[in-house]
Amino acid sequence: MSLSFSPAVAPPTENNTPAFWFIFRGADLLVLDEGETAVLPQSIHELEFLRQHYLGWIEEETAATHCFAAEVAEETDPPPDMQFAGLRQLFNRLPTDQLWLAGRAVQIVDWDRTHQFCSRCATPNEILDHERAKKCPNCGLTTYPRIAPAIIVRIDREIDGVPHLLLARNGRWRRGWYSVLAGFVEPGETLEQCVHREVFEETGLRLKNVRYFGSQPWPFPNSLMVGFTADYAGGDIVLEEEELEDANWFTVDSLPNLPSSMSIARRLVDAFIEEVKSK
Ligand SMILES: [Zn+2]
């Protein structure tokens, strides 16, 4: 995420500066199709929006670039030389900062689309102008964009003096691809409790030394991935077969195919490789 981005709700009163437009049809983003790379539109003339939102601005050396999100109807065709593309397809085509801003935008657009009415009394909601929230004018219920926290954890273990890490694969993934373990946090649970529970449920393993690693918004559709590392403390691998097809211990010299470098999953594995190679 760009450090120079400042979120805001109220749009600028005057806006003659360049802007980035994050325009969604469903969960797909409108981009100028330039082959290997994709470019965000900076102005929009011919499209009809269902709704639009101000996101905030990117501070640059000489000026601020305002950012807007908007939604078009499902039957909308892209303008010439443009396409609607899923954010995963844009992983290596859009600049990283813009991609994560698109992740912010898609969650706001989706929240707006699915919270047009109060969930308690079905009255049409009103958008608040001082914070990202909606309020029911009838019963007063306030609704905020919902984020679903999930943990993601790398488990390290020395076997015969050689560092290993645990990687697993879901049966729905492409053959030969593995990642670290992840799972959603349950109501009432701490992140650390979630790490222990998910790993035990999915693999039967016990952990120690659970340490915070970092976090990453994951807009598929509305997660926040909270990353940890941990050390193996006991148990033999027993797969939860509804979740996992395989889980095993790997060394840096025997790694399978891994997730995109855009993901915190890959950053966890890359950090392991770096630690082992620096010893
Ligand atoms: Zn209400």
Side-chain angles (χ1 to χ4, degrees):
M1 180 63 66
S2 167
L3 291 178
S4 61
F5 177 74
S6 300
V9 176
T13 44
E14 269 184 55
N15 180 23
N16 304 318
T17 56
F20 281 135
W21 282 90
F22 297 88
I23 298 164
F24 290 93
R25 186 181 69 186
D28 293 342
L29 178 67
L30 184 68
V31 289
L32 274 158
D33 184 8
E34 301 200 341
E36 297 276 294
T37 59
V39 177
L40 282 172
Q42 299 216 343
S43 65
I44 277 303
H45 312 287
E46 64 263 59
L47 285 172
E48 199 175 314
F49 298 149
L50 296 174
R51 287 173 288 276
Q52 75 176 62
H53 305 269
Y54 181 60
L55 298 176
W57 69 92
I58 301 168
E59 194 72 51
E60 282 162 325
E61 276 179 26
T62 51
T65 302
H66 293 290
C67 299
F68 295 88
E71 183 180 12
V72 295
E74 278 297 323
E75 61 276 11
T76 305
D77 289 321
D81 303 323
M82 302 187 87
Q83 63 170 191
F84 287 103
L87 297 188
R88 285 174 195 271
Q89 277 108 59
L90 294 170
F91 262 8
N92 295 309
R93 296 179 63 208
L94 263 189
T96 308
D97 287 354
Q98 292 178 18
L99 186 74
W100 294 116
L101 277 174
R104 176 187 289 259
V106 73
Q107 292 182 73
I108 290 168
V109 165
D110 183 64
W111 164 72
D112 179 40
R113 181 196 301 131
T114 54
H115 293 79
Q116 291 289 305
F117 298 92
C118 173
S119 61
R120 185 155 62 194
C121 74
T123 303
N125 270 326
E126 289 175 355
I127 287 194
L128 299 184
D129 57 13
H130 60 284
E131 61 178 343
R132 189 76 65 195
K134 296 185 177 199
K135 191 167 185 177
C136 171
N138 180 46
C139 76
L141 181 68
T142 306
T143 310
Y144 299 90
R146 192 179 48 187
I147 298 164
I151 62 88
I152 183 161
V153 56
R154 187 190 85 210
I155 304 160
D156 301 349
R157 179 185 187 184
E158 290 228 337
I159 302 173
D160 298 331
V162 180
H164 285 66
L165 83 167
L166 187 86
L167 295 170
R169 60 170 275 109
N170 186 304
R172 296 188 300 269
W173 297 351
R174 278 181 291 163
R175 290 199 79 75
W177 290 78
Y178 282 73
S179 187
V180 292
L181 297 177
F184 285 104
V185 180
E186 293 189 347
E189 194 172 49
T190 67
L191 295 170
E192 292 82 357
Q193 287 167 339
C194 181
V195 169
H196 288 285
R197 177 185 56 77
E198 278 289 341
V199 169
F200 186 73
E201 281 177 5
E202 294 194 0
T203 63
L205 300 180
R206 297 292 185 187
L207 303 177
K208 59 184 180 184
N209 302 332
V210 174
R211 296 173 303 271
Y212 178 70
F213 176 82
S215 64
Q216 179 178 61
W218 196 243
F220 305 104
N222 61 345
S223 295
L224 171 65
M225 305 298 286
V226 187
F228 293 87
T229 60
D231 293 326
Y232 168 82
D236 295 317
I237 295 173
V238 180
L239 293 181
E240 184 183 36
E241 288 181 359
E242 278 170 21
E243 289 285 329
L244 298 180
E245 183 184 84
D246 186 32
N248 222 321
W249 299 101
F250 293 84
T251 69
V252 289
D253 299 318
S254 67
L255 291 172
N257 293 322
L258 295 165
S260 157
S261 58
M262 300 294 290
S263 64
I264 191 171
R266 181 58 171 270
R267 274 171 41 214
L268 280 159
V269 177
D270 286 348
F272 174 82
I273 296 168
E274 229 167 84
E275 281 167 33
V276 170
K277 297 214 160 151
S278 68
K279 272 180 189 166

